[in-house]
Amino acid sequence: MGKDEEHKEVPFPAYAKFLVGGVSGMVASYAVHPMDFLKTRLQMSGSGGQKKMYSGPLDALSKITKAEGVMAVFNGGTACIGRQIIYATCRLGIYTTLLGMAQKGDEPPGFAIKAGCGMASGLIAGFFATPMDLCIIRMISDGAKPPDKQFKYHHVVNCLMRIGKEEGGIHGLYRGAFPTTCRAMVVNGSVLATYSQAKEFLMGIGQKEGLGLHSCASIIAGAVTAIVSLPVDIIKTRIQASKGAGNPLVIVGGIIKNEGPFAFWKGLSPYFVRLAPMTILTFIFVEKFTYWYHIYVLGNKNPKSNL
């Protein structure tokens, strides 16, 4: 066997891209779930013409822990894990696969292609993860309702079964599928493409591959994504929080009329505080797990990132 053939890099298998994406997403998402909890509660505050419950993130945290207990911020945690099994596995696995297909030689794809790959992966992942996303919103928002209006779900399986039984089967489970899928497209098109582009730019000005590079690129991607995707996230949350059918245009009109246009960025600080570490942790785990798989499973000595 020749020297070049002996050290030839083994291609990263497609199934491993999905596995790495799913595990990375689950670990990162559960770690920042309390911030997602606060973001959702703030988005629901003042909806439906009701009085605002919280003046900000700290006020929300204080009132929620006092009324519902310290562990209330982990309500919906089982649904969070279930969502990532579907969502993170699909979005990161599909994105890295499409990105690899789009690359010509050593020349990385342009930003538009990266964004297109991100939106395509988000569309597929967001649609199939809609039932789990619905469960997260229901379980998080439940404690903020009057006792007679609460669903009182025990866990994610109970939530899925009851929604399916009480709200029209598959149709009920896919309530809010359109805004959920739109949000996933916006989030993935911005976060994945921005991360890849920011990483490429930072490496071009001399930053080396490693934790610092991954963290800087993740923060840039998280900031861009938070601003761009929050309005769609709020509309999705309002639709999924109740049993009633929600028309996105009616909800948009109601928010502008009753709460003002800046209400579309309600909860921006916890959303970014949640999204930034979520983005950082996800990409760090993806990069590390990919590196370890190359080294310890495939035996590659100089592995390249998939992102």
Side-chain angles (χ1 to χ4, degrees):
M1 184 180 289
K3 190 174 181 181
D4 291 339
E5 190 176 340
E6 183 181 354
H7 295 291
K8 188 176 181 181
E9 184 173 297
V10 179
F12 200 79
Y15 74 85
K17 295 178 181 179
F18 287 85
L19 179 64
V20 164
V23 174
S24 301
M26 282 188 282
V27 176
S29 183
Y30 196 76
V32 300
H33 182 70
M35 294 310 304
D36 202 31
F37 178 95
L38 285 177
K39 180 265 299 181
T40 302
R41 283 293 184 90
L42 284 165
Q43 288 179 344
M44 293 306 303
S45 177
S47 65
Q50 298 178 359
K51 185 180 178 181
K52 280 185 66 174
M53 298 173 64
Y54 317 116
S55 61
L58 293 179
D59 181 53
L61 181 62
S62 175
K63 289 179 178 177
I64 290 167
T65 53
K66 184 177 179 180
E68 303 172 45
V70 175
M71 295 305 292
V73 294
F74 282 97
N75 285 350
T78 55
C80 167
I81 295 296
R83 179 178 183 269
Q84 291 303 319
I85 291 174
I86 300 170
Y87 182 72
T89 300
C90 288
R91 75 161 183 150
L92 289 165
I94 293 171
Y95 176 72
T96 51
T97 300
L98 292 176
L99 207 60
M101 293 169 63
Q103 186 161 341
K104 306 296 183 183
D106 293 330
E107 187 69 24
F111 183 79
I113 293 177
K114 291 171 185 172
C117 292
M119 292 178 72
S121 65
L123 186 153
I124 297 168
F127 178 78
F128 284 109
T130 294
M132 288 296 184
D133 199 78
L134 174 61
C135 288
I136 292 174
I137 300 300
R138 289 288 183 86
M139 294 172 77
I140 288 176
S141 62
D142 211 31
K145 299 175 181 177
D148 61 323
K149 300 289 185 182
Q150 292 180 4
F151 296 112
K152 294 183 172 63
Y153 301 120
H154 302 303
H155 44 69
V156 65
V157 176
N158 175 251
C159 184
L160 286 168
M161 292 179 66
R162 282 184 52 190
I163 292 174
K165 183 179 179 180
E166 299 168 6
E167 301 178 39
I170 295 295
H171 181 268
L173 287 167
Y174 273 86
R175 183 183 308 283
F178 179 72
T180 299
T181 303
C182 288
R183 177 191 176 276
M185 290 177 66
V186 171
V187 166
N188 283 279
S190 54
V191 75
L192 295 174
T194 304
Y195 176 82
S196 296
Q197 197 70 24
K199 184 180 171 185
E200 184 183 323
F201 170 77
L202 292 169
M203 290 179 74
I205 60 173
Q207 195 159 352
K208 302 295 184 181
E209 185 78 46
L211 183 62
L213 171 66
H214 303 155
S215 298
C216 288
S218 297
I219 291 170
I220 294 169
V224 171
T225 304
I227 295 170
V228 171
S229 68
L230 187 55
V232 185
D233 189 74
I234 286 181
I235 296 167
K236 174 190 75 70
T237 298
R238 295 286 178 91
I239 290 174
Q240 292 182 323
S242 64
K243 285 187 177 183
N247 184 314
L249 294 178
V250 173
I251 289 174
V252 168
I255 290 173
I256 293 173
K257 180 180 178 180
N258 300 320
E259 303 169 57
F262 288 107
F264 286 109
W265 284 273
K266 185 184 293 183
L268 179 61
S269 55
Y271 187 59
F272 174 71
V273 171
R274 177 256 184 195
L275 195 61
M278 171 70 178
T279 305
I280 293 169
L281 290 173
T282 297
F283 285 123
I284 286 175
F285 286 136
V286 167
E287 300 278 15
K288 285 298 181 184
F289 290 157
T290 299
Y291 177 81
W292 291 333
Y293 197 93
H294 270 294
I295 296 293
Y296 299 114
V297 179
L298 302 179
N300 295 324
K301 294 186 177 180
N302 299 300
K304 294 181 180 178
S305 170
N306 292 327
L307 295 169

